[in-house]
Amino acid sequence: MTSQPAPVLDLRGDLAALVTALCDVPSVSGDETRLADAVEAALRGFGHLEVLRDGDAVVARTHLGLPRRVVVAGHLDTVPLTDPPNLPVRVLDGPAGPELWGRGTVDMKAGVAVQLALAARLGADVVPAADLTWVFYDHEEVAANLNGLGRLVRNHPEWLEGDVAVLCEPTSGGIEGGCNGTLRVEVRTRGVAAHSARAWTGHNAIHDAAEVLARLAAYTPRTVDVDGLAYRESLNAVGIRGGISGNVVPDECVVTVNYRFAPDKSLAQAEAHVRELFDGFEVTRTDGAEGARPGLDDPLVADLVASVLAVTGGQPTAKLGWTDVARFSSLGIPAVNLGPGDPLLAHKDDERCPVGQVTATHDALLAWLTAH
Amino acid sequence: MTSQPAPVLDLRGDLAALVTALCDVPSVSGDETRLADAVEAALRGFGHLEVLRDGDAVVARTHLGLPRRVVVAGHLDTVPLTDPPNLPVRVLDGPAGPELWGRGTVDMKAGVAVQLALAARLGADVVPAADLTWVFYDHEEVAANLNGLGRLVRNHPEWLEGDVAVLCEPTSGGIEGGCNGTLRVEVRTRGVAAHSARAWTGHNAIHDAAEVLARLAAYTPRTVDVDGLAYRESLNAVGIRGGISGNVVPDECVVTVNYRFAPDKSLAQAEAHVRELFDGFEVTRTDGAEGARPGLDDPLVADLVASVLAVTGGQPTAKLGWTDVARFSSLGIPAVNLGPGDPLLAHKDDERCPVGQVTATHDALLAWLTAH
């Protein structure tokens, strides 16, 4: 897929132009190499950074001998483009100034642009308050077992060491604490195949799935308070398949269900809940990741909350989508989400990010990372 | 797909061996060329037959100047093989003597073997009661618009002219009159895509399909009396699909429904019935074929009924699966089904045909076609 050369990224230029340049290199999960090459090449241009690479993940670190280390991470991949493609990025006027429209502007190349701009500056022109580790990784938008940050945890855990971590996932420029967990299961019905003209000699597995869908449609997701933040859950069929041919009663139907659960429960507890809901049906777990509690009681995170409050006036809220905050949380590193872009627009056809949020996020992180 | 040469078929040898030879050339719909080549080559060995070809359909005719003409037709294709393949044919002992096991033994290469054996003999060794047209065609087990007999009707209607037609579809060696019609529709629900972690910003199209499946599961198919024969109907989901990716609320779900309807109603009436059943949903017709009334009041068909009764003792019954009887019916040619093999075993993994039924069907047709 990577036939064109990697573009040259200007990390010291205009922030909106950098977001655009990053988005205009499509990097749907599994096809991140060209963008990772561009990011690696750009970072290698700065002598204050040690640059490391594993697959399509790139890590850059300062070694200033400072007593604390902050990890700032973001993923390079996106969900698939729309048809026709919502790229290259277009700049349109929005209610609060110019907005960047196109796949990745929200989830999460605006955040990656903020990371890259700060990486180029902090440790070169400006002495930061902590040593810094910048992480750019692949395969975040697909099954958890492919996740590039998870691979770094397995292959090079020392690259990720730090005292606190910030993930630049979209939060509309405010701090979002912790994250919901995610669980995927297949709910399967089995029947007996037969010619559809003599259906009574078989048993229709798709008809049996009516009850599975009815339970999903009737389910009311909860909103759970965890450490003062409200976590809203979701339970959805994200796929359904069944059928052999146009004249055969189908012998199998599979409903793929995704449960986003609040961090008051473990992955195992979430699975038990889903199994109880689909009692009487065959349930197979295919994918899952723990949630993370907010972690706002850590002093370094409290400083970050204060910096964001000073720059944007935004109060911390709960993160609802699963993010790799949970991976840092499992390593014992307190972590929060902070990034430009409205998370409600992530993965949507009309994905777009106000330029003002990119600048504000950049400025809030800069204020925190240079506060002495 | 057709890499091996066509095998040589012995039309004058053992009937069971001929069924086996026909089945052992796999001919799943769309891949019939090798078998059609073998059938054509075998028929061209007989000087009393004019042999014609259109695509993978083969037609052989006598021209004896007799006042009436009987058309005997069968399809060469089968539904897909099982995994592992249920071929080559195995001969196993059954309750009433040896049985041939494997794909196509019932639907409908045993019938094709009867046709070929009679074609080789009638008009050569034996003078038949009517001129004969033997039709072997492709693409019966797939969408009606691909049907090889339908193509012959369009391309060469004169090849199919006759006074009565017999289709050798499986009927356990008895006469089955007419056939149910078949209608395929897609029932579609539409939603709004969203990230599955923030499902309340979208609308889940798969959840909406719960009501579609519930109506299918609750539906009680009717049994309809037409001209003294009982036609049992079926209404089934034969496919369902929906879903974009594992973390997206799906914006579309499509249920493919197959309605097999009694010949008391037209295709248009059947469609109206299905649209009424799925009132409130988007319904698109994708495929359909009229049924056929029994036609047992035709004198030639009455003679056939009498011949079968004399050889096997079997009374005529209703045909439930759609067959190309309906195509002859629409051409104004009375037509019935008569073939070896239990239709309840068609398309099944344990498809098998008693050798005794192959012989009995052959003998009943021979008695009818030689009665002067």
Side-chain angles (χ1 to χ4, degrees), chain A residues 184 195-201 204 207 232 234 236-243 246-247 250 258 260 321 343-344 347-348, chain B residues 184 195-201 204 207 232 234 236-243 246-247 250 258 260 321 343-344 347-348:
Chain A
R184 246 170 237 110
H195 195 297
S196 62
R198 289 171 291 273
W200 56 91
T201 67
N204 195 313
H207 295 191
R232 187 167 176 179
S234 294
N236 275 273
V238 291
I240 189 166
R241 63 177 194 275
N247 56 6
N258 185 210
R260 304 293 182 131
L344 297 182
H347 303 194
K348 292 253 191 159
Chain B
R184 245 168 238 112
H195 195 297
S196 62
R198 289 171 292 274
W200 56 92
T201 67
N204 195 313
H207 295 192
R232 186 166 177 178
S234 295
N236 274 275
V238 290
I240 189 167
R241 63 178 194 273
N247 57 6
N258 185 209
R260 304 293 182 131
L344 298 182
H347 302 193
K348 292 253 190 159

Side-chain angles (χ1 to χ4, degrees), chain B residues 33-330:
Chain B
T33 303
R34 191 164 161 249
L35 184 59
D37 288 350
V39 166
E40 180 186 358
L43 292 168
R44 286 199 187 280
F46 296 94
H48 67 287
L49 294 172
E50 173 199 27
V51 179
L52 305 160
R53 173 101 178 220
D54 179 288
D56 285 333
V58 180
V59 175
R61 296 194 290 194
T62 63
H63 292 289
L64 305 171
L66 297 168
R68 296 185 298 186
R69 176 173 290 277
V70 170
V71 182
V72 186
H75 62 84
L76 298 174
D77 59 320
T78 70
V79 296
L81 274 59
T82 55
D83 180 16
N86 49 351
L87 286 180
V89 167
R90 292 175 304 148
V91 185
L92 298 175
D93 282 334
E99 297 182 331
L100 303 170
W101 286 67
R103 178 62 75 233
T105 51
V106 168
D107 193 6
M108 55 168 282
K109 292 182 178 177
V112 168
V114 168
Q115 291 180 258
L116 287 169
L118 291 172
R121 188 161 172 204
L122 292 168
D125 320 347
V126 184
V127 179
D131 262 310
L132 296 166
T133 300
W134 306 98
V135 181
F136 307 89
Y137 60 99
D138 53 288
H139 284 97
E140 195 273 345
E141 296 289 6
V142 286
N145 64 318
L146 297 175
N147 185 291
L149 190 61
R151 192 180 66 245
L152 290 178
V153 170
R154 290 191 301 276
N155 293 354
H156 311 284
E158 71 282 5
W159 293 4
L160 301 175
E161 281 170 8
D163 298 288
V164 68
V166 177
L167 266 160
C168 295
E169 290 275 356
T171 63
S172 297
I175 294 221
E176 291 187 353
C179 70
N180 276 338
T182 180
L183 169 69
R184 245 168 238 112
V185 299
E186 290 184 344
V187 185
R188 186 174 266 99
T189 57
R190 296 185 192 272
V192 177
H195 195 297
S196 62
R198 289 171 292 274
W200 56 92
T201 67
H203 183 85
N204 195 313
I206 293 177
H207 295 192
D208 282 357
E211 174 63 18
V212 176
L213 299 191
R215 291 188 199 175
L216 281 164
Y219 184 87
T220 303
R222 299 177 311 154
T223 297
V224 182
D225 186 287
V226 183
D227 298 352
L229 300 185
Y231 290 85
R232 186 166 177 178
E233 300 193 330
S234 295
L235 181 76
N236 274 275
V238 290
I240 189 167
R241 63 178 194 273
I244 297 169
S245 78
N247 57 6
V248 178
V249 172
D251 61 357
E252 186 180 75
C253 183
V254 180
V255 184
T256 304
V257 174
N258 185 209
Y259 179 35
R260 304 293 182 131
F261 56 94
D264 65 324
K265 48 184 120 30
S266 67
L267 182 56
Q269 288 169 324
E271 183 175 338
H273 178 66
V274 168
R275 287 188 181 277
E276 187 182 356
L277 178 66
F278 295 112
D279 185 40
F281 292 96
E282 184 181 331
V283 174
T284 309
R285 172 173 152 184
T286 57
D287 185 33
E290 302 279 356
R293 300 181 73 96
L296 301 185
D297 49 351
D298 182 272
L300 257 175
V301 177
D303 289 348
L304 176 56
V305 170
S307 295
V308 170
L309 198 60
V311 171
T312 71
Q315 292 286 349
T317 59
K319 184 70 182 178
L320 301 174
W322 189 89
T323 77
D324 280 317
V325 156
R327 266 176 229 286
F328 287 106
S329 182
S330 71

Side-chain angles (χ1 to χ4, degrees), chain A residues 194-250:
Chain A
H195 195 297
S196 62
R198 289 171 291 273
W200 56 91
T201 67
H203 183 86
N204 195 313
I206 294 177
H207 295 191
D208 282 355
E211 173 64 18
V212 176
L213 299 190
R215 291 189 198 175
L216 281 165
Y219 184 88
T220 303
R222 299 177 311 153
T223 298
V224 183
D225 186 286
V226 183
D227 299 351
L229 300 184
Y231 289 86
R232 187 167 176 179
E233 299 192 332
S234 294
L235 181 76
N236 275 273
V238 291
I240 189 166
R241 63 177 194 275
I244 296 169
S245 79
N247 56 6
V248 177
V249 172

Side-chain angles (χ1 to χ4, degrees), chain A residues 186 188 206 239-243 252-256, chain B residues 239-242:
Chain A
E186 289 184 345
R188 186 173 267 98
I206 294 177
I240 189 166
R241 63 177 194 275
E252 184 180 75
C253 183
V254 180
V255 184
T256 304
Chain B
I240 189 167
R241 63 178 194 273

